[in-house]
Amino acid sequence: MMIEKLDPQTGDWDKEAGGGSRPLTGIYLTIATVLAIVISLYAIYANVLSNTQEFYRNTVFLIGILVLGFILFPFSKRYATSRFNALDYLFIFLALLSYGYFYFFYFDLHVVRKSIPNVTDYVMATIGIAVLFEAARRTTGYFIPGLATFAIIYALFGQYFLGIFGHAGFSAERLLYRLFMTGEGIFGITLSTASTAIVVFILFGAFLSVSGATALFNDLAMAIAGTRRGGPAQVAVISSALTGSLSGSAVANVATTGTFTIPLMKAIGLSPRFSGAVEAAASTGGMIMPPIMGAAAFIMAGFLGISYTAIVVAAIIPALLYYAALIIAIDVEAKKQGLKGIRKENIPQVGQVLKRRGLLLLPLVIVIATLLAGRTPIYAGFLGIVTIIAASWLSLDTSVRMTPKKIAQALNEAARGAIQVTLACAAIGVIICVVTMTGIGSTLAFNIVSMTGGVLWLILLVVMVVCIVLSMGLPSTALYIVVAVTASPILIQAGVNPLAAHFFVFWFGALSNITPPVALASYTAASIAKADPMQTSWMAVKLALPGFIIPFILVYNPMLLILGEGVNALSILHMIVSALAGIYALSVATGRFWIIKTNWLENSLLAVAAIMLIKPGLFTDIAGIGLIAIGAVSHIARSRRIKMRVTSFQQGELGD
């Protein structure tokens, strides 16, 4: 299930994490399946069919996820193939005890005792936090629970930290109360978002996947781009964009679409390294592709206090620019290698594909239209699920029909898919609470801005590195929360628009999936392509390099996020054209090919032009376009001279 837990080179369980999901059989498999289906049904009931109070909804949902997590994920690699041991039963019991205790005594604590905890409350809170950290360790690895543990130590012993990091410190009782007995810590905004919008859209994605929409996306991508130069690589980009926008996991996206696209790319002559890099870079883009964006969109809306629809609208242009950058980079490489597309007779016809299964696109249209109409994500997601079931029965392809068995499969897969994101959201609530209590976020932001002299481009470079490092190995929702809490305040302190700041940090957090040394998407793609993982990672970075400048463009051009005064169609078009020109220039410079192989002078001119086009303004735009023009004139003249020499040489040989 959690492919992130597999070593992409050996296929063995990750030695640093909890050990991956264990292979269940018999009664254990039945229990896990039934529990998963019940969790999904409860999520639908609590969010759509009832008006369950937030604390009780969060608690019941988290209890179910904790128990399912302990059933599916063993204590360590040593127990990966065994059924259960005493530790599994112990943690399941402690999860039921601690969280069940607060479920039943929450009213007594906050109403009868007027929020005055007793010794039992503190003991249960301590057990509950320990149980959560262990579940997070098993499912997401050591980083998140380790960071949360450090946050607790920092809150308790702040007086022993030096310099700007020091603070008066908090008592254990006060910390436990804030972390576990209020809506500020574990039961805060991140868990609430996971138990509402995120789980509903995970359900929507699971239903869409089980119905056969992934195959539809692949066929459509093949029909649209298969015959183009380097067609299979273009197919990988389009298919990964469509699939990734729903799954939100770069690694899962590689595993889903890569098994189809990577062999196709290799078949037309692309190297294994390049094929894996294309898929890794394309799949990573799925994390920033609306409407779901790896569930980060829902958390972002909560952090910024704006509507989810505003986040989705803001994400459209940057995501399309990223995929445009990939398509351009791939086209440059295909042209350099002289590659062709797939023969037309081997390409599915768009009309036939849409006729048989085109109705499966209707749920996507319904969801996006519902969101743009201003309805809540929960309403849109549930309406999408209902539409999937209806569309599957109206489709001419009977194999896509959502039978009771398929519905149960979707419910099962959705709950399993929600384990990692829910536990990460709950554990990171601890970090958010400590950051709020100590004020360390504002302190760091102020000092970093002061250290860099307030120079924006330097601040952006520092934050870029911080985001990539902090996000390595984390799932999409977790990485966004980590960088949003730690890095976005730095940019906001520097005067960056808050929405642009959050997009900046999330974007580079997502790109950590292809950035060495911990590039999970690249490693997974390399294992499918049978290529060297590190070489594949660097090639993915090279392909996506134009995409690395897009977050900088967003900071300097927040208008691309449909923000600010004076936003109109003409100004947005100007920004898009400027960004595309810069992206194209950088793609040619990094690919070192245009009509023929480019030289160092042309590459330098194009690279500088791309940088100039990042910042808006008449001077920078004219300078950037001017440099591109100079490079183009030089390149065209040189290519003509070389062509004339070749022609002359060939004619001379014929004369002889």
Side-chain angles (χ1 to χ4, degrees):
M1 172 58 196
M2 295 298 175
I3 194 165
E4 286 91 338
K5 314 310 293 180
L6 295 177
D7 184 328
Q9 298 182 58
T10 66
D12 292 334
W13 301 114
D14 184 350
K15 298 178 179 62
E16 299 301 323
S21 57
R22 73 176 112 213
L24 297 175
T25 57
I27 186 63
Y28 296 101
L29 177 60
T30 302
I31 292 172
T33 302
V34 171
L35 178 58
I37 292 172
V38 169
I39 291 171
S40 292
L41 290 175
Y42 176 78
I44 294 173
Y45 168 78
N47 285 295
V48 180
L49 304 176
S50 75
N51 190 25
T52 307
Q53 200 266 346
E54 182 180 29
F55 172 80
Y56 294 108
R57 181 199 64 229
N58 287 349
T59 305
V60 172
F61 184 71
L62 184 56
I63 289 173
I65 291 294
L66 282 167
V67 174
L68 185 61
F70 285 124
I71 292 174
L72 292 177
F73 291 83
F75 181 77
S76 67
K77 177 185 175 182
R78 176 183 174 187
Y79 302 103
T81 57
S82 63
R83 290 186 175 181
F84 282 90
N85 57 42
L87 284 174
D88 296 319
Y89 289 112
L90 174 62
F91 279 112
I92 290 174
F93 169 75
L94 292 177
L96 294 171
L97 175 67
S98 56
Y99 289 89
Y101 171 85
F102 278 101
Y103 179 87
F104 288 108
F105 289 97
Y106 182 80
F107 180 84
D108 178 70
L109 169 63
H110 289 286
V111 178
V112 178
R113 288 186 275 135
K114 296 179 172 49
S115 299
I116 301 175
N118 56 32
V119 174
T120 306
D121 295 331
Y122 290 127
V123 171
M124 291 299 172
T126 304
I127 293 172
I129 293 171
V131 166
L132 174 63
F133 284 7
E134 168 59 13
R137 181 196 68 82
R138 293 188 183 202
T139 56
T140 67
Y142 285 103
F143 183 79
I144 291 176
L147 193 61
T149 301
F150 176 78
I152 290 175
I153 294 171
Y154 177 68
L156 292 173
F157 305 104
Q159 64 270 31
Y160 298 106
F161 286 79
L162 301 178
I164 63 172
F165 299 100
H167 63 89
F170 296 90
S171 66
E173 292 82 359
R174 183 178 177 186
L175 183 62
L176 285 171
Y177 178 78
R178 293 281 291 271
L179 291 181
F180 206 84
M181 304 178 211
T182 69
E184 299 178 49
I186 289 172
F187 298 98
I189 183 175
T190 50
L191 178 58
S192 290
T193 307
S195 68
T196 54
I198 291 177
V199 71
V200 169
F201 268 83
I202 289 175
L203 279 160
F204 173 69
F207 272 80
L208 204 58
S209 176
V210 170
S211 71
T214 301
L216 171 63
F217 294 158
N218 287 336
D219 287 346
L220 279 178
M222 182 72 77
I224 293 168
T227 57
R228 289 175 52 84
R229 183 168 54 206
Q234 311 284 17
V235 169
V237 172
I238 297 171
S239 178
S240 296
L242 293 171
T243 305
S245 66
L246 297 176
S247 72
S249 167
V251 178
N253 201 358
V254 170
T256 302
T257 60
T259 52
F260 163 74
T261 58
I262 290 175
L264 270 179
M265 286 186 269
K266 292 170 67 177
I268 66 162
L270 289 171
S271 68
R273 178 183 64 175
F274 186 82
S275 301
V278 168
E279 181 56 45
S283 293
T284 297
M287 297 174 65
I288 54 177
M289 186 73 177
I292 300 178
M293 299 165 59
F298 308 113
I299 304 286
M300 193 181 296
F303 277 173
L304 292 170
I306 61 178
S307 71
Y308 168 76
T309 305
I311 302 291
V312 171
V313 171
I316 293 173
I317 294 176
L320 293 179
L321 286 175
Y322 177 84
Y323 279 106
L326 277 184
I327 289 174
I328 292 169
I330 290 166
D331 188 67
V332 168
E333 184 68 23
K335 188 177 181 181
K336 182 166 65 176
Q337 295 190 28
L339 299 176
K340 306 294 182 183
I342 301 172
R343 294 170 66 90
K344 193 171 182 178
E345 55 267 28
N346 296 327
I347 300 293
Q349 298 298 312
V350 175
Q352 293 178 353
V353 172
L354 292 177
K355 184 178 179 181
R356 286 185 59 81
R357 285 178 290 166
L359 281 175
L360 292 181
L361 293 175
L362 183 61
L364 283 175
V365 175
I366 293 291
V367 166
I368 294 172
T370 305
L371 289 171
L372 294 178
R375 304 303 293 266
T376 67
I378 295 173
Y379 179 84
F382 180 70
L383 186 60
I385 293 171
V386 174
T387 307
I388 291 169
I389 297 173
S392 71
W393 281 93
L394 295 173
S395 176
L396 294 178
D397 188 350
T398 57
S399 65
V400 304
R401 290 178 178 173
M402 293 297 292
T403 60
K405 184 177 180 180
K406 281 190 174 183
I407 291 174
Q409 180 186 347
L411 294 171
N412 181 27
E413 290 184 6
R416 289 170 179 245
I419 293 173
Q420 193 180 53
V421 64
T422 302
L423 295 177
C425 284
I428 290 174
V430 172
I431 301 170
I432 295 173
C433 185
V434 170
V435 168
T436 303
M437 291 174 68
T438 60
I440 185 62
S442 300
T443 303
L444 282 176
F446 176 80
N447 281 276
I448 289 177
V449 171
S450 299
M451 287 167 55
T452 55
V455 180
L456 183 57
W457 67 265
L458 188 56
I459 295 171
L460 293 175
L461 288 176
V462 171
V463 172
M464 176 188 75
V465 174
V466 168
C467 291
I468 291 174
V469 171
L470 287 179
S471 302
M472 287 180 174
L474 295 182
S476 57
T477 307
L479 69 84
Y480 166 66
I481 298 171
V482 169
V483 296
V485 171
T486 58
S488 64
I490 301 171
L491 298 182
I492 295 171
Q493 178 74 31
V496 176
N497 177 279
L499 181 57
H502 278 256
F503 265 90
F504 186 93
V505 299
F506 176 52
W507 197 289
F508 282 112
L511 288 174
S512 69
N513 278 277
I514 59 171
T515 308
V518 186
L520 293 179
S522 296
Y523 292 170
T524 306
S527 68
I528 297 172
K530 294 180 173 58
D532 180 83
M534 195 57 65
Q535 290 181 2
T536 302
S537 297
W538 285 118
M539 178 59 74
V541 170
K542 179 183 175 182
L543 284 174
L545 192 59
F548 276 72
I549 71 171
I550 294 175
F552 291 88
I553 295 175
L554 296 181
V555 170
Y556 287 106
N557 298 271
M559 199 175 290
L560 286 174
L561 297 171
I562 324 295
L563 284 176
E565 297 179 1
V567 176
N568 55 65
L570 187 61
S571 60
I572 292 174
L573 181 62
H574 167 244
M575 296 299 176
I576 292 174
V577 171
S578 175
L580 283 174
I583 287 169
Y584 188 83
L586 190 57
S587 295
V588 172
T590 54
R592 295 185 295 177
F593 192 88
W594 202 348
I595 300 172
I596 58 174
K597 187 176 180 180
T598 52
N599 59 29
W600 69 269
L601 177 61
E602 293 158 358
N603 287 332
S604 300
L605 289 171
L606 293 172
V608 173
I611 295 172
M612 295 293 288
L613 290 168
I614 289 176
K615 189 174 182 180
L618 183 62
F619 173 76
T620 52
D621 283 356
I622 291 175
I625 296 299
L627 290 174
I628 292 175
I630 294 171
V633 169
S634 170
H635 185 76
I636 292 170
R638 190 168 62 85
S639 66
R640 285 179 177 175
R641 288 196 302 269
I642 292 174
K643 185 177 180 181
M644 289 174 63
R645 289 174 190 168
V646 172
T647 302
S648 176
F649 177 77
Q650 291 174 341
Q651 289 175 347
E653 282 193 331
L654 289 173
D656 292 340

